[in-house]
Structures are given as structure tokens and as C-alpha cells.
Amino acid sequence: MSTHNVWTHKGTFLLAAVGSAVGLGNLWRFPYLTGENGGGAFILVYALTIFAVGIPILIAEIMLGRSSRRSPIMGMRFLTQTHHTSRAWESIGWLGAVSAFLILSFYSVIAGWAIHYTGLMFTGTMVDVDAAGVGESFDALLASPALLTLYHTLFIAASALIVGLGIHKGIEAGLRVLMPSLFVILLVVLGYGAIIGDLGAAAGFLFTFNLADLSLEGWLQAMGQSFFTLSLGMGAIMAYGAYMPGEASLTRTAFSIAVVDTAVAMVAGLAIFSLVFGAGLNPGEGPGLMFVTLPLAFAEMPGGALVGGAFFILVLGAAISSSISLIEPVAAFLVERFDLTRPQAVAVMVIASWALGLLTVLSFNLWAEGTLFHALFGRSAFDFIELLTNIFMPLGGLLIALFAGWALTLSEVMKEMHTNERWFRLWRFLVRFVAPAAVAFVFLRSIPQVEGYLIPAIGAVVIVGAFAAGRTFLADDRQEL
């Protein structure tokens, strides 16, 4: 049964998709990767892969959602039936839903840390605290299952409340307030960093073009970041696409999402590293940058407690905008498949994901080592769940590209895209050959056991892809069009 819900304004899908894309990775991962991998050289590779990989798959995923007007699971079932293709393609919907469920379980735990730090900042607890004190505070948070569970519960409950209110009163209304507010806070923090910190050093770290620092690993990280930053392969974009008005342009929307998402990451990088370098600190990757280095920078700067509190509200808002997109694919499926009310479906999804999240909570303390997960998989429960998502998401994205490029009928694709012939042919070439090959690299790289075979695999895929492209693409498309 189709949901029949449509965003009340064309721009709402853009807000929703940007909200899904803009998350914790924009604030701590992208800026660090850029600075450590040649600055402008990394950005150039990233921009090329966004164009050749991210945007084609983004268009394809939105298209699948809009053409089916259903949740990812039920939508793929509908599309396989109407296009008379194998039911195996339904795995796209299931991979997306499972990925969203798994990611929400640990994303909520990590995002919950921002609640703790918002309180520490606004109460002035971190003022004049030295490096040892900040590190001890973070370690104490991780060592407390009770605190982590409390913040995990508060965060996931807030996200569930927004989604539970519905498409229009919940998600749409929330995003219209949340996203503009986040952009304003980000600009305020950037202004503060420019005045108090070292904006020149931050710009040099991020934008100096140094090709010598861009290794093959850097290329692969740029490729992976271009895929993961757009929330591809986890059902969110397909679920949101189901509510997208039919007259909205897929191409313009996809490019707008990519540009805004990248711009937010750039501005965040300038804001964060101007504070880090202004305080004479070293940049670091991951949670350490967000929850150790930055609080230390705020502690040493005038007005840092107030601006730091605002910054962690920004972190919370970005995380919530992403988490509601993780809830929606599964909740929409439960509504359609089992005829649950939206609050009931959201409750089922969130409670199950919350319970799974307790494994992540315990991975930072009581189950940090010596558990069954370590014995079986050589890693903590959190690391294992994260590994699964790093496999499922690229695999889902790969299948989306192949399904849209090869299984969908030409007339259906042209009807949804309603674009000029030149761009359509280029998009089809990218989604058929370039994007699948690139995502295959990301997929192979996510599996530690095959990392040593990555280069031969890349060579083989490129050779096979080039041969296939030369043999079939130009001739077939000329006949079809």
C-alpha cells in the first residue's frame, strides 16, 4: 500500500536530505581527512568522486523512492513486480533497513555524549580545565554505563518523538526549524573562531594543495567519504524520496544536496580548526577531536563556555537530523506491512535499536575486552556492528546503482529524471559503470580480510568495466534513445 504522503514544499526534501547527510562525520571526519591528505588535493578528488559516484547514486536512490512511493523494503518489492525483474533485488530495501537499524543503535550512544558536554559547557564546569582534566572527564563518561545509557535514552527518545509525530507535523516541521538554526550556530562559531582563534592556520590546514600528501589510501578515503557523507545505501534517501513531489528535479536536488553538505563540512572545518590551532593544540581524528581537543580549546578562550555550549547544541542538532532519517525507513515499512500506527511503528523500531545500543554502551567499559565478541571476531561489539554497516551500506549502494542502471526500464528512468539527453546519457554511463566500480572498491576496503587484494581487484574491475563500457554502452544507448 502506498503511503501517498508528499512534502508540502519542494524545498523540504532538500532540507530532509541535507539533514540526513549532515551529521557527526561532517564535523569531525571530513575536515581531518582533508587536512591530513593534501588539503586542496583531497578536496579535488572528493569533488570528482562526489560528481562521478555520489550524485549518480543519490539520483538513483531518490528515483527508486519517488517512483515507488513506498518504504524502501515495500518499494523495492513493488518495483521488482512492475518491472518484471528478479525478486533478489528486494535485498536493496532490506540492506538499507538493516543498515539504518544498526547505525542508529550506536549513533545514538555517541551522539548522546553531546548532551553531556552541552551541560558541562553551559554550567562552566570546563572553564580553565587543563588537558589532563578534559581527558579524565571524557574517560569518566565512557567508564559509566549508567550515564551513557541515560544519554543514549534521551537522544533516541527525542528523535523518536519527532518521527512519531508524522511526516508533516514531525519530520517536516522539525527540519524547518532545526536546519536553519544549525546553519546560524555554525556561522556564529566560525565568526568566534575567526576573532579568537587562528583562521589562517585552519585555512592553510584545509586548503593548501599538496598532491604529495595524497596517497592511494587518501584517494580511497575520499571515495569512501563521498559515498558515506550523502547517507547512501541506508534507506533514508529512498524513504524521503517517496515523499518528494513529482515535479521536483532529481538532478538539481541531488547537486544541491552535495553542495550544501560539502559546504557545511568546509565551514565546520574552518570553525573547528581555527579554535584548535588558536589554542595551540594538535588536530586529531574522531571523538577525540570533538570531545577532548575542542572542549580544551573552549576552556582556554574568553566566552568559551557559552560558545562551546552553542557548539554542542549544533552537534546535537546535526545528529538528530541524521537519526530521524535512520528511523524513518524501518518505521515506514512497519506502517505499510503490518498496518501499525506511526507511533507504534516508531516505538518498535526505536526500542529494538535502543536495546542493541546497550552493546555499544558496554563496549566502552564493562565489555571493553575479553568478551564473546572479542573471542569470535577479535573486536568489541561496537566495532563489530560498525563493521557490518561498513559492509552493508556500500553493498546496498552498489545494488542501487546496478538496479537503476540496468534493471529499470528506460522509459521509467527518463520519466522520473525529465532532463536533457546529454546529461541523461552521462548519468546512465556513470551509474552503470563508474559508480559501481568505485563503490566496489569501498566495499572491498571495508572487509579487512581482503584488504591485501584491493589493488588487484581495482585493476580487474577497471579492465572489465572499460571493456564492457566500450562494447555495450554507446551502441545500446544510441539504439534506445
Side-chain angles (χ1 to χ4, degrees):
M1 178 180 178
S2 175
T3 59
H4 296 299
N5 283 307
V6 177
W7 302 118
T8 56
H9 189 274
K10 286 190 291 186
T12 305
F13 174 79
L14 177 61
L15 280 181
V18 169
S20 177
V22 173
L24 298 180
N26 293 74
L27 301 180
W28 77 41
R29 179 171 168 78
F30 179 79
Y32 176 82
L33 288 178
T34 300
E36 290 295 295
N37 289 282
F42 181 89
I43 292 174
L44 177 61
V45 174
Y46 173 82
L48 290 173
T49 52
I50 277 281
F51 174 78
V53 181
I55 288 175
I57 298 179
L58 181 61
I59 290 173
E61 188 163 350
I62 299 171
M63 182 193 303
L64 297 184
R66 191 168 71 175
S67 61
S68 69
R69 295 291 182 197
R70 288 161 172 80
S71 67
I73 294 174
M74 300 303 291
M76 287 307 305
R77 182 170 299 176
F78 171 79
L79 290 174
T80 57
Q81 292 172 350
T82 56
H83 290 268
H84 307 292
T85 61
S86 169
R87 288 196 62 180
W89 291 111
E90 290 181 22
S91 59
I92 292 173
W94 286 103
L95 281 170
V98 171
S99 296
F101 175 78
L102 293 176
I103 292 170
L104 180 64
S105 73
F106 65 77
Y107 194 85
S108 175
V109 175
I110 296 172
W113 301 349
I115 300 175
H116 182 73
Y117 277 85
T118 302
L120 291 181
M121 286 293 168
F122 279 133
T123 58
T125 305
M126 303 299 288
V127 174
D128 296 327
V129 177
D130 60 13
V134 173
E136 288 170 4
S137 175
F138 184 56
D139 291 339
L141 172 64
L142 296 187
S144 173
L147 268 182
L148 293 180
T149 302
L150 172 63
Y151 297 136
H152 170 45
T153 304
L154 290 174
F155 180 85
I156 206 168
S159 304
L161 178 63
I162 294 173
V163 182
L165 288 173
I167 302 302
H168 302 303
K169 292 182 180 179
I171 298 175
E172 192 166 8
L175 288 169
R176 284 184 176 178
V177 174
L178 188 62
M179 297 311 295
S181 301
L182 296 185
F183 298 147
V184 170
I185 294 174
L186 184 57
L187 291 176
V188 168
V189 177
L190 176 63
Y192 176 81
I195 296 169
I196 303 296
D198 192 341
L199 189 61
F205 180 71
L206 287 171
F207 301 126
T208 300
F209 194 95
N210 191 348
L211 195 59
D213 287 343
L214 184 62
S215 62
L216 174 62
E217 179 68 15
W219 278 74
L220 292 172
Q221 286 179 327
M223 198 177 295
Q225 182 68 14
S226 70
F227 176 84
F228 287 110
T229 190
L230 295 177
S231 299
L232 302 174
M234 63 183 196
I237 298 299
M238 200 184 302
Y240 282 165
Y243 314 131
M244 186 180 183
E247 68 274 12
S249 168
L250 292 179
T251 298
R252 282 197 299 269
T253 303
F255 272 92
S256 298
I257 293 166
V259 168
V260 174
D261 178 67
T262 303
V264 168
M266 298 291 190
V267 174
L270 287 172
I272 289 170
F273 289 121
S274 65
L275 296 172
V276 170
F277 291 127
L281 303 172
N282 292 320
E285 184 185 9
L289 170 64
M290 188 70 62
F291 300 107
V292 177
T293 308
L294 269 178
L296 183 59
F298 285 125
E300 296 179 358
M301 293 180 171
L306 183 61
V307 179
F311 175 78
F312 280 105
I313 288 177
L314 164 68
V315 175
L316 269 175
I320 285 179
S321 69
S322 296
S323 66
I324 61 177
S325 72
L326 295 170
I327 297 173
E328 180 60 24
V330 180
F333 165 70
L334 294 175
V335 169
E336 293 174 10
R337 178 66 179 83
F338 300 104
D339 202 26
L340 299 180
T341 65
R342 174 163 280 267
Q344 289 173 336
V346 171
V348 170
M349 158 62 171
V350 165
I351 291 172
S353 193
W354 174 87
L356 182 63
L358 296 179
L359 294 180
T360 295
V361 167
L362 295 175
S363 294
F364 293 112
N365 38 72
L366 300 180
W367 291 359
E369 55 186 27
T371 65
L372 178 62
F373 277 93
H374 284 90
L376 292 177
F377 306 108
R379 62 190 72 224
S380 68
F382 164 58
D383 291 334
F384 178 71
I385 295 172
E386 187 180 33
L387 173 65
L388 289 179
T389 62
N390 288 337
I391 294 174
F392 292 163
M393 283 181 65
L395 183 57
L398 174 64
L399 293 176
I400 287 170
L402 294 174
F403 183 78
W406 295 98
L408 285 183
T409 61
L410 183 66
S411 59
E412 178 72 18
V413 175
M414 293 185 72
K415 182 183 75 173
E416 285 294 333
M417 287 191 67
H418 48 78
T419 187
N420 63 74
E421 181 179 322
R422 181 176 297 177
W423 166 243
F424 175 78
R425 287 170 59 82
L426 176 58
W427 171 83
R428 205 166 188 223
F429 173 76
L430 293 173
V431 85
R432 277 182 159 188
F433 301 104
V434 178
V439 175
F441 305 161
V442 177
F443 174 65
L444 290 170
R445 185 172 173 271
S446 68
I447 306 174
Q449 288 79 4
V450 303
E451 203 164 311
Y453 304 99
L454 186 59
I455 302 303
I458 290 175
V461 172
V462 168
I463 292 171
V464 172
F467 178 77
R471 292 271 299 181
T472 65
F473 177 73
L474 296 175
D476 288 353
D477 269 18
R478 210 170 272 123
Q479 291 174 4
E480 290 173 336
L481 292 171

